[in-house]
């Protein structure tokens, strides 16, 4: 008799445990959904992208919808270090453009980009020229400079159709 009473007690406790666990699960899931909706609403109000961009603002765009614009052989005077002569760098800058972006339709053609080449080059010159030769040799500083150039060009066009800036063939003298 004691074994049956003990079995019934264990069964009752199991049923109570299952009921309480399911109540807790449903309340937690609904709270999580509400929190996710709140975060999404706040992000949309602030016009932030939740996915697709890294800490420098660079987002992933498929290669099939990417077009590039090259600004080759820019010669830029670098900030001199104390007691050193002036240094220069020769570099090529490649702007990656998202062909599906709204701004691409207005500014993305080769002719239009060619019109703005001097303005873009001026921004690049200002930003790269603010670094010394030793600073620019560091990869982290180059990444910082790319981020600043990207932000400056996106502000210039008031659009994010240019989503990445690459610096290549950099030579110092």
């Amino acid at each position: 008799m004691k074994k049956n009473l003990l079995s019934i007690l264990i069964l009752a406790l199991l049923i109570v445990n299952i009921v309480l666990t399911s109540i807790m699960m449903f309340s937690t899931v609904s709270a999580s959904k509400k929190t996710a909706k709140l975060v999404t609403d706040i992000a949309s109000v602030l016009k932030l992208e939740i996915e697709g961009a890294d800490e420098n603002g660079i987002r992933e765009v498929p290669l099939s919808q990417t077009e590039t614009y090259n600004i080759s052989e820019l010669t830029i005077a670098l900030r001199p270090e104390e007691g050193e002569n002036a240094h220069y760098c020769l570099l090529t800058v490649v702007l990656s453009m998202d062909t599906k972006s709204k701004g691409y339709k207005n500014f993305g053609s080769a002719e239009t980009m060619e019109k703005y080449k001097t303005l873009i080059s001026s921004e690049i010159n200002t930003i790269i020229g603010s670094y010394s030769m030793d600073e620019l040799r560091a990869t982290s500083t180059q990444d910082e400079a790319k981020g600043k150039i990207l932000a400056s060009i996106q502000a210039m066009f008031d659009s994010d159709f240019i989503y990445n800036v690459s610096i290549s063939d950099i030579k110092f003298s």
Side-chain angles (χ1 to χ4, degrees), residues 27-81:
S27 65
T28 305
V29 167
S30 66
S32 296
K33 285 182 182 179
K34 289 177 184 175
T35 304
K37 184 179 181 323
L38 178 66
V39 169
T40 304
D41 291 344
I42 290 171
S44 66
V45 167
L46 296 176
K47 296 183 181 175
L48 295 176
E49 288 187 30
I50 295 176
E51 298 176 356
D54 67 4
E55 66 274 357
N56 293 326
I58 300 172
R59 62 182 202 275
E60 295 295 322
V61 176
L63 197 56
S64 61
Q65 67 185 50
T66 298
E67 192 168 313
T68 60
Y69 180 72
N70 295 334
I71 302 174
S72 58
E73 298 186 5
L74 281 173
T75 304
I76 300 173
L78 301 174
R79 187 188 78 215
E81 295 274 338

Side-chain angles (χ1 to χ4, degrees), residues 61-147:
V61 176
L63 197 56
S64 61
Q65 67 185 50
T66 298
E67 192 168 313
T68 60
Y69 180 72
N70 295 334
I71 302 174
S72 58
E73 298 186 5
L74 281 173
T75 304
I76 300 173
L78 301 174
R79 187 188 78 215
E81 295 274 338
E82 286 185 34
E84 289 187 10
N85 295 332
H87 293 283
Y88 296 90
C89 74
L90 178 68
L91 54 87
T92 298
V93 176
V94 179
L95 305 177
S96 300
M97 300 179 287
D98 181 1
T99 59
K100 303 285 186 195
S101 180
K102 293 177 187 174
Y104 181 79
K105 293 176 181 79
N106 297 329
F107 300 111
S109 70
E111 297 83 26
T112 306
M113 290 300 288
E114 199 60 39
K115 286 183 199 175
Y116 295 108
K117 182 177 182 178
T118 54
L119 292 174
I120 296 169
S121 297
S122 174
E123 290 294 321
I124 295 168
N125 196 352
T126 302
I127 292 168
I128 297 292
S130 68
Y131 295 101
S132 69
M133 181 175 72
D134 292 334
E135 291 172 336
L136 267 180
R137 287 189 176 175
T139 305
S140 61
T141 306
Q142 286 183 18
D143 291 340
E144 176 185 312
K146 289 180 205 176

